[in-house]
């Protein structure tokens, strides 16, 4: 009896304490929702940190319209329903008009649709397809890139430098299909020879089953349109078999964390594409400020997801300053469309027709056992956006990559 | 469709065998726990993950893979024993649902603890030198590490059989599995036997995790999918039957390997379809005991 | 002591009343138990106490938990794959809205019918299996639905992106309600869920409900008493599945989108946890469990990324010390108090 009583008291007290909640500042707010729990926690954490560093920088230079800005972060648990609930709470209950986040491209398109229906300005930080076709409804902006952009960038590099025959392994969901489409189109244009494709379910851990087929076909290039733990497992297992000695592995999307998790397996035969990497501060000195601020707080350098979060936050708050408003969404959209900035790499902006970031893509090479600390990539080239981003008309029709007939589909 | 040469089939079989061995270790552990304690251990995958982290820590400290492997298994088995003693024991006299729920709660807590201690990025466990690369048997490539897994599983299974059938403790364990009340009446401290049995089961899961660690992404959430998959294996083999768990594990390893060859996008659905079919045709699983719930 | 029951069950009745505490004469107010009225009253004002989206989700998952508990707590059958019904209902409702442009009411009905059919199929195949085997088969089916929606049938379900492009939802009958706005959406859901709760209570209070409880207590004996246990369990599964499907369809209306996670096994796991938290041997316990659990989860995750640690630890503590759940423990203490007084 006593036990129950005290438990009940404790429970009620904790509920009361929690529900006192945080007093919302009356300055500009960006409400972000990212999957802090779940398999992509690392990348979500980076996005959050990138946003917070940007907010700190804005506040150090006077805030927006005289008041400090705030980043409000919630966990989406990699679940679209929960992400929507968090956004509903922020937009409908707390009156926040500018929202951001999600790491999953799929969830970002769902949030984009919702944002359009509810007239909120949505900044996404991840690879997303909402600038394409009917997904584009005008309230979303992306500081990630459209998936095909990195596929095209790295495919062009590969066909020029690594070989002509290629095979692909795609995670069987939209992003994996988009990368395959990008490679198929580029292969046609550049005289590549497509030898075969394997779709693996998202979350595959064991890629050894696919090794015999790959070895039988002997491609020059093996494209891994995978990410996260799928990619790490694949690279580790292929390295175990010595596959990376016989062919080149190319990843349309890679990350510092993945190279670190693979260790020596991620060697000079593994290439990949990233939107940003911290050693480019040697070419773009402005990036040093961001890298140093991040390293001071978190002891590790920031990666591409942190850059996406940072760029989105900076661009948004600067647009608020320029437009002189914090919650007039239409005016903010107008301002953002015309804005050009330069933060951690070259000058970029949001293209007015589809709000895609005019972002370059870096082709990077692994360092394997020679990697020291967080210096795991060698940056080989930077591919500017005009070589990868399709025209406004093409994006509106989702052409050519959306029209490609994928093998087996 | 490519031509199905025997080399490819042979290699798929070998990969399927190695994969199956990991499942055998997992399912074997789960089966022992269920057979002895009537507890459905929903945290089995969590101990698999702990095995991977334990070998990471051990290898970082002493540099030797083999020493790391043994210490990983021992440490995680001890952790399992502590959990059983403190948390599970009070629940045995209640509805069998409760131990299951407790293990479910444990499976949610522990990954977060690991995330706090080790961070979110996965850990790298290097292959032992000497097991990298592969043997070539004609045109067929046999990876050395996979062969090691197969041999290790065989050794473990034989040791387990010898232990259960030839030693006194093994006899007591078999008796407790058959009829724990009677065993207790005969004067044996069944409670301690249960703890030992649980530790053996957990040790097998940890072993599976430790050997898998160099091959897969060793992250805190790596046990989640594994729990469900090894349940499927145990149910196919028959709850309570160690032999069934072994056959089930090998079967599933081959199923996954060959489905990956012919229809990769169905490889996730395949094992559940197999389970559903077997359960409908033969409800107690392949080797399950009649009436054993 | 007039009871409108089958007299052959009278002996079972008295025994069961002691165990389950649904005291019809003493507790009933109008046509349902007073605990149900209290809950409905609290739910009426809930959107003013906590955030509206969270309150709406509590309604939906509360219904799901009640439907799930009809099978677990009241019939004694454990299902690990109830997400199958929730998810199929969500997709059926969503597809009806998107591809056939039906009204919201119709989508709810479609979802219930489709889910009932699915539950019937699974029941035909599996309901005779015992205990853990039934639980595992139900998990297998749920996983199959999940992976089928993810990959082979992605053209219709949207795959891992989920079911998008559902039109902006509103009610026209009996009067216009804008369902994109938070408060009207809540009260629409409240209306449907309230009716469903009353319906479920009535089902459990009926002679059929008594048979289910008898099955839970002692299946063999109930069979020996002459009841068709298999048919009763089958019907219980269909009812449970159907109301779970209704919850799923309501979830799609609430989100305006059909989420793949409705089929995910963790959904089955959470509903089990929440039901237990509230107390599986009471009627309204699961709803309380859902409310407390979701509120805690929503709030704790604001303060720390490692909220699963707290939730898991809480759950472990619950299983160890409060096996009857919140409502069950409260009811027991209340009864103890009364018998002492």
């Amino acid at each position: 009896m006593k036990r129950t009583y005290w438990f009940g008291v404790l429970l009620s007290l904790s509920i009361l304490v929690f529900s006192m909640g945080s007093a919302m500042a009356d300055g500009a707010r960006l409400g972000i929702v990212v999957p802090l729990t779940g398999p992509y926690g690392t990348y979500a954490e980076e996005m959050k940190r990138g946003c917070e560093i940007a907010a700190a920088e804005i506040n150090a230079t006077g805030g927006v319209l005289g008041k400090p800005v705030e980043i409000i972060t919630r966990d989406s648990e990699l679940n679209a329903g929960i992400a929507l609930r968090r956004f509903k709470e922020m937009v409908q209950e707390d009156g926040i008009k500018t929202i951001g986040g999600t790491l999953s491209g799929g969830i970002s398109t769902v949030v984009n649709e919702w944002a359009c229906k509810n007239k909120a300005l949505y900044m996404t930080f991840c690879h997303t397809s909402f600038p394409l076709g009917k997904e584009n409804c005008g309230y979303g902006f992306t500081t990630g890139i459209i998936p095909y952009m990195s596929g095209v960038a790295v495919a062009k590099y590969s066909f020029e430098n690594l070989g002509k025959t290629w095979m692909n392994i795609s995670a069987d969901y939209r992003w994996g299909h988009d990368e395959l489409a990008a490679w198929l189109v580029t292969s046609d244009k550049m005289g590549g020879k497509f030898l075969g494709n394997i779709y693996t379910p998202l979350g595959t851990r064991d890629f050894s089953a696919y090794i015999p087929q790959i070895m039988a076909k002997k491609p020059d290039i093996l494209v891994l349109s995978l990410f996260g733990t799928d990619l790490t497992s694949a690279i580790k297992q292929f390295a175990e078999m010595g596959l990376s000695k016989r062919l080149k592995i190319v990843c349309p999307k890679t990350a510092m964390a993945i190279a670190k998790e693979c260790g020596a397996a991620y060697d000079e035969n593994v290439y990949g594409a990233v939107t940003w990497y911290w050693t480019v501060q040697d070419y773009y000195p402005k990036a040093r400020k961001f890298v140093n601020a991040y390293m001071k707080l978190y002891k590790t350098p920031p990666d591409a997801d942190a850059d996406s979060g940072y760029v989105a936050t900076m661009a948004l708050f600067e647009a608020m300053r320029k437009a002189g408003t914090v919650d007039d969404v239409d005016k903010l959209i107008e301002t953002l469309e015309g804005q050009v900035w330069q933060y951690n790499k070259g000058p970029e902006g949001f293209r007015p027709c589809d709000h895609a970031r005019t972002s370059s893509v870096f082709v990077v090479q692994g360092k394997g056992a020679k990697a020291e600390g967080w210096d795991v990539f060698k940056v080989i080239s930077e591919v500017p956006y005009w070589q990868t981003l399709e025209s406004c008309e093409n994006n509106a029709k989702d052409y050519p990559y959306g029209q490609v007939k994928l093998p087996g589909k | 469709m490519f031509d199905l040469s025997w080399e490819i089939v042979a290699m798929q079989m070998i990969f399927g065998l190695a994969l199956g061995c990991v499942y055998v270790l997992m399912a074997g552990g789960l089966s022992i726990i269920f057979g002895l304690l009537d507890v459905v251990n929903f945290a089995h995958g969590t101990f698999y993950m702990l095995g991977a982290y334990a070998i990471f820590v051990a290898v970082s400290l002493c540099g030797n893979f083999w020493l790391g492997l043994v210490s990983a298994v021992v440490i995680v088995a001890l952790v399992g024993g502590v959990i059983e003693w403190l948390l599970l024991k009070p629940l045995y006299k209640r509805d069998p649902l409760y131990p299951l729920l407790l293990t479910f709660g444990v499976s949610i807590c522990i990954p977060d603890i690991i995330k706090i201690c080790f961070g979110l990025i996965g850990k790298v466990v290097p292959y032992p030198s000497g097991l990298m690369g592969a043997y070539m048997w004609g045109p067929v490539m046999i990876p050395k590490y996979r062969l090691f897994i197969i041999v290790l599983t065989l050794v473990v299974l034989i040791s387990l059989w010898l232990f259960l059938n030839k030693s006194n403790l093994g006899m007591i364990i078999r008796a407790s599995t058959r009829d724990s009340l009677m065993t207790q009446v005969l004067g044996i401290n069944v409670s301690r036997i249960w703890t030992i049995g649980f530790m053996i089961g957990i040790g097998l899961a940890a072993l599976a995790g430790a050997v898998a660690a160099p091959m897969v992404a060793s992250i805190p959430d790596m046990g989640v999918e594994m729990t469900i998959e090894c349940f499927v294996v145990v149910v196919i083999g028959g709850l309570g039957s160690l032999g069934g768990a072994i056959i089930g594990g090998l079967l599933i390893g081959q199923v996954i390997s060959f489905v990956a060859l012919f229809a990769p996008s169905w490889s996730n659905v395949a094992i559940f379809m197999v389970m559903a079919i077997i359960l409908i045709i033969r409800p107690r699983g392949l080797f399950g005991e009649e009436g054993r719930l | 002591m007039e009871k409108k029951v089958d007299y052959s069950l009278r002996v079972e009745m008295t025994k069961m009343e002691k165990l389950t505490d649904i005291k019809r004469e003493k507790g009933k107010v109008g046509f349902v138990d007073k605990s149900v009225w209290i809950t409905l009253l609290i739910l009426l004002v809930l959107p003013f106490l906590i955030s509206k989206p969270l309150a709406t989700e509590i309604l939906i998952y509360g219904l799901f938990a009640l439907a799930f508990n009809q099978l677990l707590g009241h019939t004694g059958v454990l299902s690990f794959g109830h997400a199958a019904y929730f998810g199929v209902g969500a997709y059926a409702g969503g597809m009806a809205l998107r591809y056939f442009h039906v009204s919201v009411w119709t989508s709810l009905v479609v979802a219930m019918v489709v889910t009932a059919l699915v539950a019937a199929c699974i029941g035909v195949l599996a309901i005779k299996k015992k205990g853990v085997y039934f639980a595992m088969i139900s998990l297998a089916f749920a996983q199959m639905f999940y992976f089928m929606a993810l990959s082979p049938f992605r053209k219709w379900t949207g795959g891992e992106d989920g079911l998008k492009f559902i039109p902006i939802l509103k009610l026209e009958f009996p009067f216009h309600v804008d369902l994109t706005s938070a408060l009207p959406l809540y009260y629409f859901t409240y209306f449907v869920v309230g009716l469903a709760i009353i319906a479920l209570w009535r089902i459990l209070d009926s002679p059929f409900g008594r048979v289910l409880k008898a099955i839970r207590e002692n299946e063999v004996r109930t069979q020996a008493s002459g009841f068709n246990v298999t048919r009763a369990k089958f019907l219980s599964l269909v009812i449970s599945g159907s109301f779970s499907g209704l919850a799923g369809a309501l979830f799609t209306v609430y989100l305006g989108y059909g989420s793949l996670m409705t089929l995910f096994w963790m959904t089955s796991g959470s509903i089990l946890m929440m039901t237990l938290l509230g107390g599986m041997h009471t009627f309204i316990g699961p709803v309380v469990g859902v409310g407390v659990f979701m509120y805690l989860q929503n709030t704790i995750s604001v303060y720390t990324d490692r909220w699963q640690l707290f939730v898991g630890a809480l759950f472990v503590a619950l299983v160890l010390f409060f096996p009857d759940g919140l409502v069950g423990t409260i009811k027991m203490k209340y009864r103890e108090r009364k018998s002492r007084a």
Side-chain angles (χ1 to χ4, degrees), chain A residues 4 18-19 36-37 45 75 77 80 85-86 88-89 92-93 106 109-110 113 117 135 172-173, chain C residues 51-53 57 151 154 160-161 164-166 180 254 257 261 294-295 298-299 301 303 305 307 333:
Chain A
T4 323
F18 283 134
S19 45
L36 296 165
T37 53
E45 193 66 42
D75 184 3
E77 301 166 37
R85 184 212 302 167
R86 308 278 190 220
K88 281 188 196 220
E89 284 177 344
Q92 291 171 342
E93 307 269 316
T109 54
V110 174
E113 191 191 17
K117 284 183 186 166
E135 308 255 18
D172 195 11
Y173 71 119
Chain C
S51 82
K52 298 180 206 50
E57 286 195 33
S151 196
R154 63 180 325 117
E160 67 124 37
D161 284 1
K164 293 184 291 196
F165 311 124
I166 291 179
T180 54
Y254 153 75
Y257 153 78
M261 292 309 253
M294 289 190 70
Y295 180 79
N298 204 39
T299 320
S301 69
Y303 292 93
D305 296 346
W307 57 268
K333 300 305 169 195

Side-chain angles (χ1 to χ4, degrees), chain C residues 264-318:
Chain C
F264 193 53
W265 66 270
M266 192 60 192
T267 306
S268 304
S270 330
I271 208 70
L272 173 60
M273 275 207 288
M274 298 193 272
T275 302
L276 257 108
L277 169 57
M280 66 170 170
H281 289 305
T282 65
F283 177 74
I284 208 67
V287 178
V288 175
V290 166
V292 171
F293 186 86
M294 289 190 70
Y295 180 79
L296 277 179
Q297 191 187 42
N298 204 39
T299 320
I300 295 181
S301 69
V302 170
Y303 292 93
T304 166
D305 296 346
R306 302 278 72 85
W307 57 268
Q308 284 176 315
L309 177 57
F310 290 100
V311 168
L314 179 72
F315 189 68
V316 167
L318 233 115

Side-chain angles (χ1 to χ4, degrees), chain B residues 177-195:
Chain B
T177 311
R178 190 80 59 85
D179 193 336
S180 55
L181 188 58
M182 190 53 111
T183 318
Q184 202 159 10
V185 163
L186 288 172
I188 309 279
N189 185 347
V190 187
S191 185
R192 224 180 303 158
I193 301 298
W194 285 338
T195 310

Side-chain angles (χ1 to χ4, degrees), chain B residues 1 3 12 102 140 231 234 244:
Chain B
M1 226 359 166
D3 42 338
Q12 292 293 153
L102 184 99
V140 177
F231 265 106
V234 167

Side-chain angles (χ1 to χ4, degrees), chain B residues 158-226:
Chain B
I158 292 176
S159 319
L160 203 59
W161 186 88
L162 284 173
F163 170 71
L164 284 175
N165 285 297
K166 301 290 181 198
S167 76
N168 277 345
L169 186 56
M171 180 178 64
I172 295 175
I173 289 181
R174 275 186 294 128
S176 298
T177 311
R178 190 80 59 85
D179 193 336
S180 55
L181 188 58
M182 190 53 111
T183 318
Q184 202 159 10
V185 163
L186 288 172
I188 309 279
N189 185 347
V190 187
S191 185
R192 224 180 303 158
I193 301 298
W194 285 338
T195 310
I196 294 175
F198 190 78
M199 285 172 62
I200 295 177
I202 296 301
L204 285 171
L207 181 62
V211 296
M215 294 194 303
V216 300
S218 302
I219 55 167
D221 289 323
M222 69 193 280
V224 165
E225 299 284 321
M226 189 43 114

